[in-house]
Amino acid sequence: MTTIDRRNEYAKSMIPFLDRERTIAKPGYSRWLVPPAALCVHLCIGQAYAFSVFNLPMTRLIGVSQSAPDDWKLTELGWIFSIAMVFLGVSAAVFGRWVEEGGPRKAMFTAAICWASGFLISALGVKLHNLWLIYLGYGVIGGCALGIGYISPVSTLMKWFPDRPGMATGMAIMGFGGGALIASPLSVWLMSKFQTATDVGVLWSFITLGCVYFLFMMFGALTVRVPAPGWKPEGYVPPATASKLITKNDVFVYQAIKTPQFWLIWTVLFVNTTAGIGVLGQASAMSQEMFPGRITPVAAAGLVGLMSLFNMGGRFSWASLSDYIGRKNTYFCYMVLGFILYIAVPYAGGSGNVVLFVICFLIIVSMYGGGFSTVPAYLRDMFGTRYVGAIHGILLTAWSAAGIAGPVLINYIREYNLAHGVPKAQAYNVTMYIMAGLLVIGFIANLCVRAVDKRHHMVSEAEPSRGLDLPGGAQAAPAQA
Amino acid sequence: MQSNDSAPTSTLRLVVAWSIAGIPLLGGVAQTLVNAMKLFQ
């Protein structure tokens, strides 16, 4: 059995309907059906950012009106989200190649099953008051749904939109940012509907969300298609003068992680995410402490809402812009503009300029979102489309690492400053300068990104014309043994 | 295996697909905007 045969067998599922070869689009299929399919998945898994709305009600599952001694503590509940985020990174890295070879429908279907199961197992955990079931349900199984669902449509979208890969992935990843905007009010509304004198309403909210999300994600799985071999958008002519930073070759997933380019882009994403996540999580407290009496808790909540909109909008707009100015230049924008804005935040605080402060935060958070949505296209430019989903999955470990580094930097430096007598209004200044310094590292890393050396490129194992028509698309092997 | 029959996508199908994804998203955006207005009050 050849390598191709083995990979083809590997890619085939027990349910043939889910196989990649069954999702090849017939002539006349509109590529504009793929972004809503991808959005349906990302909008559902984006709920993760709104999970905190369940935390307080889950501290009153027994006491209902107030926490009873046997009720769970907030610190225990905080682990649910953390476990889910860890499994997002792990599953994206581990299952990335399977997602790429199995095709988007199989991955979306798996994500839908895991996401719905996660909610249903968590509902059982609520019913039995067993927190470990929720850790397993939402944390582990739901976390795997996050990882698989997040990367599932990425390479498919780039194959459908070779003319606008940034815009295409930006649309999908925008959904991940937008999911919380839907889930937060929906969850609060569901809990209010299911609430009784003896129940806080979490149990049936979980069951309802699990069912609704499953239907939405299945719509995405049923709608998505992969382009037929050799398909090109009507009127699309690949650029005659090839850019040095946009390869026409493919790099095998495990070969890609041996290249300096992968780790340079990993560093760029890590730095951009660390800087953004730090302010995103602390924006409410930071704004109130930097402008005491001027930014009230209600206004701070408004700022957080506005930031989520810019986070979402940045994912689409920055990634779309990258199609015109190039991926490397877009990251230069993030790093240079980010550096200026982080330096400007302490100035805005010192001079009492609320407008400047708000503008800085909104642009920073838009670039945080933009960093996520631009990176798949950056990887595609460097490593080709063949394994971009799998490479993207491994790159998401930068997100997990930044998820720890960002809040730790902000919180611990603030605590240190307060303990050493720094006024609250200035407690974040050092952190802002450190974030600006991190962006300098990101700038240098981005500057060092060059085209991938030819020795890393894949050599075709099959006839070049067969290309994507091989089930699992496994047509090539790394140039190096 | 996939047949080569043509299957043109109708405008209605496109509208339905985008509505399924877009309407909840627009609802969430509108709700968030309403909350965000508190920043300017």
Side-chain angles (χ1 to χ4, degrees):
Chain A
M1 190 181 270
T2 66
T3 307
I4 296 171
D5 294 332
R6 276 199 302 275
R7 287 183 193 167
N8 291 349
E9 287 305 313
Y10 172 65
K12 280 184 179 171
S13 68
M14 292 174 71
I15 312 171
F17 163 72
L18 299 174
D19 288 340
R20 174 187 276 273
E21 64 193 63
R22 297 285 291 267
T23 59
I24 296 173
K26 291 177 182 176
Y29 177 88
S30 170
R31 63 175 175 163
W32 289 100
L33 279 173
V34 183
L39 266 174
C40 280
V41 173
H42 271 237
L43 284 171
C44 293
I45 59 175
Q47 182 276 346
Y49 279 140
F51 188 79
S52 59
V53 297
F54 290 111
N55 282 352
L56 273 179
M58 282 203 290
T59 61
R60 295 185 275 107
L61 289 174
I62 297 172
V64 182
S65 58
Q66 57 182 12
S67 290
D70 287 339
D71 263 318
W72 296 325
K73 307 281 180 292
L74 265 181
T75 45
E76 295 172 311
L77 293 167
W79 280 104
I80 301 169
F81 178 77
S82 303
I83 294 170
M85 285 295 118
V86 168
F87 275 85
L88 182 158
V90 170
S91 60
V94 171
F95 296 115
R97 189 179 165 193
W98 172 79
V99 168
E100 198 64 71
E101 293 181 345
R105 181 177 289 168
K106 194 187 286 181
M108 287 178 176
F109 175 78
T110 308
I113 294 279
C114 290
W115 194 231
S117 310
F119 273 102
L120 297 181
I121 293 169
S122 300
L124 185 66
V126 170
K127 176 81 177 165
L128 303 175
H129 205 257
N130 185 331
L131 189 55
W132 288 99
L133 272 177
I134 303 181
Y135 288 158
L136 171 71
Y138 194 92
V140 177
I141 300 172
C144 288
L146 289 174
I148 295 170
Y150 190 91
I151 60 173
S152 60
V154 167
S155 67
T156 304
L157 278 165
M158 284 193 282
K159 283 165 193 157
W160 276 113
F161 291 86
D163 46 342
R164 305 282 300 278
M167 180 208 72
T169 52
M171 264 191 277
I173 292 174
M174 174 185 78
F176 197 78
L181 305 186
I182 302 169
S184 185
L186 176 65
S187 306
V188 171
W189 181 78
L190 283 174
M191 282 190 286
S192 72
K193 291 293 167 195
F194 291 124
Q195 194 173 27
T196 63
T198 56
D199 185 1
V200 290
V202 174
L203 171 67
W204 281 101
S205 298
F206 275 176
I207 293 172
T208 310
L209 285 175
C211 296
V212 170
Y213 282 142
F214 179 76
L215 292 177
F216 258 79
M217 292 171 84
M218 281 309 294
F219 174 79
L222 294 173
T223 305
V224 76
R225 297 283 187 282
V226 293
W231 178 88
K232 272 187 229 150
E234 208 175 307
Y236 171 67
V237 181
T241 51
S243 163
K244 277 185 182 173
L245 281 174
I246 301 178
T247 184
K248 288 182 175 171
N249 297 289
D250 293 316
V251 179
F252 185 60
V253 54
Y254 299 128
Q255 194 66 22
I257 58 174
K258 294 177 188 167
T259 63
Q261 286 80 1
F262 177 86
W263 294 105
L264 288 169
I265 297 174
W266 192 98
T267 305
V268 171
L269 182 67
F270 170 76
V271 160
N272 192 58
T273 309
T274 301
I277 224 166
V279 296
L280 195 62
Q282 302 297 326
S284 174
M286 206 189 296
S287 59
Q288 291 175 68
E289 288 183 359
M290 288 182 89
F291 299 95
R294 294 183 65 192
I295 294 188
T296 61
V298 173
L303 173 65
V304 172
L306 209 52
M307 284 173 72
S308 13
L309 286 178
F310 272 74
N311 178 13
M312 189 186 82
R315 289 168 190 246
F316 179 69
S317 48
W318 282 107
S320 300
L321 179 71
S322 76
D323 287 332
Y324 296 100
I325 66 170
R327 256 54 81 172
K328 193 170 176 175
N329 288 335
T330 307
Y331 276 95
F332 276 138
C333 286
Y334 299 154
M335 300 301 142
V336 174
L337 197 52
F339 179 85
I340 296 167
L341 293 169
Y342 277 103
I343 296 288
V345 168
Y347 171 77
S351 59
N353 193 334
V354 178
V355 175
L356 178 64
F357 174 85
V358 170
I359 289 172
C360 286
F361 264 38
L362 294 181
I363 300 175
I364 284 172
V365 85
S366 80
M367 296 193 297
Y368 162 78
F372 284 120
S373 57
T374 315
V375 87
Y378 205 174
L379 293 174
R380 173 252 195 196
D381 291 354
M382 289 289 120
F383 305 109
T385 50
R386 178 68 195 90
Y387 278 102
V388 69
I391 299 166
H392 183 218
I394 298 173
L395 192 86
L396 290 182
T397 50
W399 184 3
S400 302
I404 298 166
V408 164
L409 271 175
I410 287 267
N411 292 331
Y412 281 85
I413 295 172
R414 175 186 173 276
E415 289 301 316
Y416 179 86
N417 281 336
L418 289 179
H420 287 78
V422 176
K424 268 189 175 178
Q426 295 165 21
Y428 295 100
N429 290 5
V430 175
T431 316
M432 294 297 112
Y433 295 136
I434 289 175
M435 297 297 185
L438 274 177
L439 292 177
V440 174
I441 297 171
F443 180 90
I444 295 166
N446 193 43
L447 191 66
C448 294
V449 174
R450 297 278 186 273
V452 173
D453 194 281
K454 281 179 188 169
R455 67 194 164 94
H456 295 296
H457 293 161
M458 293 169 86
V459 176
S460 180
E461 246 179 40
E463 299 85 356
S465 59
R466 290 182 72 185
L468 285 170
D469 60 350
L470 287 169
Q475 83 278 35
Q480 284 189 322
Chain B
M1 267 294 184
Q2 192 80 7
S3 74
N4 287 326
D5 301 343
S6 175
T9 303
S10 67
T11 309
L12 177 67
R13 192 175 171 201
L14 275 172
V15 170
V16 169
W18 277 99
S19 301
I20 287 173
I23 290 173
L25 181 60
L26 284 178
V29 169
Q31 182 74 41
T32 310
L33 266 177
V34 169
N35 292 336
M37 287 304 111
K38 290 169 188 162
L39 177 64
F40 305 105
Q41 285 167 6

